[in-house]
Amino acid sequence: MTNATSEAMRTDRKTSEPLTPELLAKMSAYWRAANYLSVGQIYLKDNPLLERPLTLDDVKPRLLGHWGTTPGLNFLYVHWNRLIRERDLDMIYIIGPGHGGPGLVANTYLEGSYSEIYPHIEQNKDGIKRLFRQFSWPYGIPSHVAPETPGSIHEGGELGYSLVHAYGAAFDNPNLIVACVVGDGEAETGPLATSWHSNKFLNPATDGAVLPILHLNGYKIANPTVLSRIPHSELEELMRGYGYEPFTLSGDDPALMHQQAAAVFDTIFDRIAEIQKAAREHGETDRPAWPMLILRTPKGWTGPKEVDGKPVENTWRAHQVPFSELREKPDHLRLLESWMRSYEPEELFDERGAFREELAEIAPKGRRRMGMNAHANGGLLLEPLKVPNFREFAVKLEGRGRADVESTRVLGHLLHGVMEANKDNKNFRVFGPDETASNRIGEVIKGTGKTWMAETLPVDEDLSPTGHVMEVLSEHMCQGWLEGYLLTGRHGFFSCYEAFIHIVDSMVNQHAKWLKVTRAIPWRKPIASLNYLLSSLVWRQDHNGFSHQDPGFIDHLVNKKADVVRVYLPPDANTLLSVADHCLRSKNYINLIVAGKQPAPQWLTMEEAIGHCTIGISAWKWASNDEGNPDVVMACCGDVPTMETLAAVTLLRARIPDIRIRVVNIVDLMTLQPQSEHPHGLPDEDFDQLFPVGIPVIFAFHGYPWLIHRLTYRRNNHHNIHVRGYKEEGTTTTPFDMCVLNNIDRFQLTLDAITRVPRLAAQADAARQWYSEAIQRHKLYVAENGDDLPEVRNWRWPTEQAR
Ligand SMILES: Cc1ncc(C[n+]2csc(CCOP(=O)(O)OP(=O)(O)O)c2C)c(N)n1
Ligand SMILES: [Mg+2]
């Protein structure tokens, strides 16, 4: 016996046997029923209750699913059911190893939730047959704990996010208990490894409880897990180091394990109750050591011990389908039959095929069933966010481009207003990886504070156990907490440096998939949108350098389904306010707002901003002089590209007084796509009005330029659209030099316009000469002075051109 396993034999348990013989027998049968239904889903399409000997015709042609984790999940579910009933708990489950989908489908079926939601899956033989057949079947149900699964807010397909989702669900839900199974393989992922620290942000007085259960079944797909092969004492120390009180339940004898599990769970739930009571009734403010459970059971527990002479139970071979080749190997069919009969189905289901009443009655009732808990269908609980009138935060426009305003600071005023307005409802949180103040929305912290349950020092500012601004330097945690918070029916906002939001690319993929699927599930009610503010943008990360310069999250998001994503690039503070108001009120979207934090010129009055944002794209009349017949359209999207475009307009007018320019600004990037591709897409006729066929378009874009080509590919004037954007040139330099390095600067845009307008062909050479002199002057000045040319730095939109 290895060191690890010998120590593992030690189990924390109360000496008493909490389960009466009768309850023990029923729980044991209930678990067998869940296991039976799980195996049936993986293997069978007919003969659901084995009323006749199993034949190959009863077996699915393709065997898809995961057995290994499932018996452990089923074991936990039946124990949680007891606790819910005995203690009247409001509890939801989060399953990290979401590939154990058959287990959650089985349990929600046994408790009745499944048939209530999907009436065709009846509580009889036909229902069980359909239940089996639909699993992992084309157009049936997915193999994982998917949006289709009652009670789930977490698919667990991409491993790593269970614990952070659990905490997100528990914040501001003081009466909720979130039981969270963490796979021991999952525990090796980066996001999961840091998620344990969420307990430094959970307030026992005002938040709910999270019960992490480390499912130490020893294996992943093809390997042992790290945490199962270190000495048990080391694992417990690790959990203690994370601030938990670890309990261990270890073994493989079902009869013993049920009693021991009941005992250890009684201790754990007493402990949770004590912690909450101390905080809520006795004013205890110290951070508690919340209990967590290490559950050490065999992978594929109760499944085949050996197949073809090789061990399966308690090995990685149990991970998926423990054996297949039923057609090729007749003894495999017999093995399957005897495995399924070992659960004694005739004792579990009556002659109609209904789950026996005396067993079904040990499940919780109504909304207490985990499959029916409203927290796991957050839209049911969603209260509209109170958003103060954003017009009250408007920047007064005293001349176009006159005031230098930090747009995100203005947004911070609005967010502060939102925080205040929803203070009593406690349903709005703002998340950020240590960048809330840096992104200049820090006013939102005032009055609420930043959530913090760890130690504090006199030097600290604004830390509070009840704060609703959450800062931790893990984008994964910010994203996961927010997702958990939204999925349970609340509202939130995530601000992040533009370059580093990529860290959660994969998480946002998963959330987008969840939203896409739930839109087609009638019983899933819409939840609040996931709102991002990206600031500290590529063009103004001149001081931090190349590592901080990456606008590619836009590209990433645009790949997602059009009915889920929205991308906004407001050019100034008033447009930012209007966009933010819209996003905060919306449902079921992922809204991306890209807005700078540096002092920048302001272009639109509040009323103009609302009009512009409502359409999402429009010609700026005050900056245009095309009289309906432009030589060139200067298009811009993003705050710095807008400024460079307007500066180019002034340079063009100075060189070519009779040039007819139309300035078009894009706030809503999706307007560029055809309507057939995106609901925000501008109708072709309107697009052709703005960008007349045959007229060159010089397009300055905040992000990677090829995205604009991709979005406008089907537009009539596409071959005349010439895009400048970020092309991965960067370093530590001046703001304007960032534009020059990427050829999006005003000099380049001016030259582009002259060289693209046919009637100006004669002036092209002179313009090229002028351009290279300007760039040379810029380069020399920057190298010598370490700052941009005064004519660039101090550039202003001229008042005489303002209309
Ligand atoms: C991020 C991620 N990487 C890889 C996989 C592929 N995968 C699916 S299950 C699994 C093993 C999971 O092991 P564990 O968490 O221990 O779960 P269990 O043993 O309970 O099945 C892996 C690697 C995945 N789903 N997600
Ligand atoms: Mg495992």
Side-chain angles (χ1 to χ4, degrees):
M1 211 180 259
T2 65
N3 192 14
T5 43
S6 67
E7 283 195 57
M9 300 315 288
R10 200 172 50 77
T11 290
D12 293 298
R13 78 185 78 134
K14 283 186 168 176
T15 43
S16 65
E17 297 195 333
L19 305 177
T20 60
E22 189 196 347
L23 185 56
L24 173 62
K26 285 184 180 178
M27 287 176 68
S28 166
Y30 200 106
W31 182 47
R32 292 196 329 264
N35 287 340
Y36 178 83
L37 294 180
S38 302
V39 183
Q41 287 176 77
I42 294 172
Y43 280 95
L44 297 190
K45 62 182 168 71
D46 207 349
N47 193 8
L49 294 174
L50 300 183
E51 290 168 306
R52 47 183 170 74
L54 210 52
T55 70
L56 283 175
D57 285 343
D58 301 328
V59 177
K60 294 183 180 183
R62 301 173 70 236
L63 300 175
L64 309 164
H66 297 79
W67 163 248
T69 192
T70 301
L73 302 181
N74 289 341
F75 181 83
L76 289 168
Y77 207 102
V78 68
H79 281 271
W80 294 337
N81 276 348
R82 177 185 76 95
L83 293 152
I84 291 170
R85 274 185 64 120
E86 286 188 4
R87 295 167 188 241
D88 192 27
L89 301 177
D90 188 7
M91 184 154 137
I92 61 171
Y93 68 79
I94 303 251
I95 304 297
H99 42 279
L104 280 298
V105 170
N107 272 293
T108 50
Y109 177 78
L110 291 175
E111 72 187 17
S113 309
Y114 206 92
S115 305
E116 267 173 58
I117 292 176
Y118 303 108
H120 65 291
I121 307 290
E122 304 152 328
Q123 294 284 335
N124 59 30
K125 214 182 300 172
D126 284 347
I128 297 182
K129 184 174 156 182
R130 289 195 197 102
L131 183 85
F132 286 2
R133 193 183 154 88
Q134 66 171 5
F135 177 79
S136 283
W137 192 268
Y139 308 105
I141 63 163
S143 60
H144 284 59
V145 189
E148 289 89 340
T149 317
S152 170
I153 59 165
H154 173 94
E155 148 122 11
E158 184 168 287
L159 300 168
Y161 316 133
S162 58
L163 196 51
V164 76
H165 279 165
Y167 277 95
F171 295 138
D172 294 320
N173 263 333
N175 299 323
L176 184 67
I177 294 190
V178 188
C180 175
V181 182
V182 177
D184 51 355
E186 180 188 21
E188 294 172 13
T189 65
L192 199 292
T194 193
S195 299
W196 297 108
H197 283 307
S198 299
N199 58 5
K200 284 76 178 183
F201 299 83
L202 188 89
N203 184 335
T206 53
D207 296 324
V210 172
L211 172 60
I213 293 161
L214 179 63
H215 194 192
L216 206 71
N217 60 18
Y219 296 90
K220 310 183 281 252
I221 296 178
N223 286 287
T225 58
V226 172
L227 295 183
S228 70
R229 299 292 178 92
I230 59 175
H232 196 78
S233 57
E234 199 175 316
L235 176 57
E236 286 190 339
E237 286 309 310
L238 180 67
M239 289 300 133
R240 273 195 200 98
Y242 275 125
Y244 294 89
E245 182 186 3
F247 291 81
T248 295
L249 175 62
S250 174
D252 58 9
D253 179 335
L256 288 178
M257 284 294 280
H258 281 301
Q259 285 292 8
Q260 289 171 8
V264 78
F265 274 128
D266 279 346
T267 307
I268 284 174
F269 279 79
D270 286 350
R271 186 79 194 102
I272 290 173
E274 280 161 23
I275 289 171
Q276 291 183 332
K277 189 167 180 200
R280 294 173 191 187
E281 292 174 26
H282 306 300
E284 178 60 64
T285 54
D286 280 355
R287 175 170 60 90
W290 291 96
M292 63 81 59
L293 179 68
I294 300 169
L295 176 67
R296 201 187 273 268
T297 55
K299 189 153 183 166
W301 193 14
T302 71
K305 300 220 176 316
E306 251 188 34
V307 177
D308 298 337
K310 295 205 169 94
V312 171
E313 192 195 34
N314 206 15
T315 78
W316 45 266
R317 288 194 191 89
H319 180 70
Q320 287 194 1
V321 181
F323 57 89
S324 46
E325 299 179 294
L326 275 81
R327 280 168 179 77
E328 295 78 8
K329 299 185 178 167
D331 59 319
H332 281 196
L333 189 65
R334 300 281 72 85
L335 189 60
L336 175 61
E337 182 161 353
S338 65
W339 174 19
M340 290 193 74
R341 286 197 192 281
S342 75
Y343 298 121
E344 301 170 291
E346 59 291 346
E347 288 189 9
L348 309 173
F349 303 95
D350 66 20
E351 27 334 303
R352 288 177 307 117
F355 190 37
R356 287 190 189 278
E357 225 171 281
E358 64 274 22
L359 301 179
E361 70 168 20
I362 68 166
K365 302 282 172 265
R367 286 261 173 227
R368 283 298 193 234
R369 288 170 296 178
M370 284 185 280
M372 278 294 171
N373 193 301
H375 293 284
N377 185 6
L380 287 174
L381 304 174
L382 185 67
E383 296 271 343
L385 189 69
K386 294 178 192 154
V387 184
N389 184 353
F390 64 97
R391 292 170 185 81
E392 284 166 16
F393 303 90
V395 172
K396 195 161 174 337
L397 197 69
E398 281 154 356
R400 308 262 181 219
R402 294 284 116 186
D404 276 348
V405 173
E406 298 162 323
S407 294
T408 54
R409 199 176 295 282
V410 177
L411 175 67
H413 303 328
L414 173 65
L415 291 175
H416 178 251
V418 175
M419 191 63 89
E420 284 290 307
N422 297 279
K423 196 163 59 187
D424 295 337
N425 275 358
K426 294 199 185 127
N427 63 349
F428 179 64
R429 290 196 180 218
V430 170
F431 301 81
D434 193 28
E435 292 158 6
T436 307
S438 171
N439 284 332
R440 303 196 188 160
I441 57 166
E443 198 185 327
V444 70
I445 297 166
K446 282 196 198 135
T448 177
K450 296 181 280 184
T451 323
W452 192 259
M453 287 299 298
E455 291 171 5
T456 54
L457 293 174
V459 70
D460 298 330
E461 285 181 357
D462 299 325
L463 301 182
S464 159
T466 55
H468 274 61
V469 175
M470 304 204 66
E471 297 214 90
V472 65
L473 212 173
S474 159
E475 286 77 6
H476 287 128
M477 282 171 81
C478 294
Q479 172 84 21
W481 285 343
L482 173 55
E483 287 176 359
Y485 202 66
L486 297 176
L487 287 161
T488 47
R490 283 77 66 71
H491 304 262
F493 194 87
F494 183 177
S495 98
C496 190
Y497 281 7
E498 182 183 44
F500 304 139
I501 192 68
H502 273 301
I503 290 170
V504 302
D505 275 4
S506 220
M507 293 182 81
V508 71
N509 282 347
Q510 299 302 321
H511 192 70
K513 287 175 198 295
W514 184 276
L515 291 179
K516 175 185 181 287
V517 175
T518 53
R519 276 167 178 270
I521 301 179
W523 59 270
R524 289 260 178 209
K525 298 300 168 208
I527 58 168
S529 298
L530 197 167
N531 298 311
Y532 290 104
L533 168 71
L534 300 190
S535 200
S536 307
L537 305 178
V538 52
W539 304 109
R540 291 300 168 82
Q541 280 295 309
D542 40 277
H543 60 301
N544 276 322
F546 201 29
S547 61
H548 286 55
Q549 297 160 359
D550 193 308
F553 192 68
I554 304 173
D555 303 63
H556 179 69
L557 217 53
V558 168
N559 289 334
K560 304 297 128 206
K561 207 69 190 165
D563 32 345
V564 171
V565 292
R566 303 284 181 269
V567 182
Y568 301 98
L569 294 103
D572 68 0
N574 286 341
T575 46
L576 174 57
L577 285 173
S578 174
V579 161
D581 174 73
H582 173 77
C583 294
L584 287 166
R585 293 170 191 277
S586 70
K587 288 183 190 172
N588 264 1
Y589 295 140
I590 297 173
N591 294 310
L592 178 64
I593 307 174
V594 182
K597 66 181 185 182
Q598 298 293 348
Q602 301 298 301
W603 309 110
L604 302 184
T605 65
M606 195 68 244
E607 288 316 306
E608 287 171 342
I610 294 169
H612 184 43
C613 293
T614 306
I615 311 173
I617 177 170
S618 57
W620 282 0
K621 294 265 179 342
W622 54 267
S624 308
N625 67 335
D626 60 283
E627 313 285 349
N629 180 26
D631 289 313
V632 61
V633 177
M634 302 293 285
C636 45
C637 181
D639 47 16
V640 168
T642 298
M643 183 175 72
E644 287 308 307
T645 294
L646 290 172
V649 168
T650 60
L651 292 171
L652 277 166
R653 293 220 174 102
R655 284 190 71 77
I656 305 161
D658 69 342
I659 189 168
R660 295 184 310 277
I661 304 172
R662 174 180 297 171
V663 174
V664 172
N665 186 269
I666 294 100
V667 180
D668 177 349
L669 192 63
M670 295 300 143
T671 56
L672 295 178
Q673 276 195 299
Q675 240 177 353
S676 54
E677 297 296 319
H678 196 284
H680 286 193
L682 210 58
D684 274 338
E685 313 81 69
D686 297 1
F687 192 91
D688 292 348
Q689 284 281 325
L690 280 176
F691 303 100
V693 176
I695 303 299
V697 179
I698 308 303
F699 197 129
F701 177 49
H702 171 84
Y704 292 98
W706 16 97
L707 177 60
I708 300 301
H709 287 297
R710 189 175 138 194
L711 297 175
T712 58
Y713 178 70
R714 288 174 196 274
R715 297 294 194 177
N716 289 327
N717 205 33
H718 176 246
H719 65 286
N720 273 317
I721 298 180
H722 309 285
V723 189
R724 298 290 184 180
Y726 182 67
K727 50 183 193 181
E728 205 66 15
E729 289 295 338
T731 179
T732 306
T733 182
T734 66
F736 186 66
D737 196 45
M738 279 300 298
C739 295
V740 171
L741 286 172
N742 291 282
N743 296 98
I744 194 177
D745 61 276
R746 57 198 66 182
F747 301 123
Q748 181 71 60
L749 299 176
T750 304
L751 176 63
D752 286 350
I754 295 172
T755 55
R756 297 289 179 184
V757 175
R759 80 172 174 90
L760 302 178
Q763 306 197 36
D765 281 349
R768 282 192 193 95
Q769 182 64 26
W770 165 83
Y771 167 78
S772 49
E773 282 166 13
I775 295 299
Q776 215 168 18
R777 200 166 69 249
H778 155 77
K779 289 278 179 204
L780 284 173
Y781 188 91
V782 166
E784 184 69 22
N785 298 281
D787 203 353
D788 286 322
L789 283 162
E791 68 189 76
V792 170
R793 253 186 297 137
N794 302 326
W795 175 84
R796 282 284 179 275
W797 178 254
T799 36
E800 61 274 18
Q801 291 196 5
R803 298 189 173 190

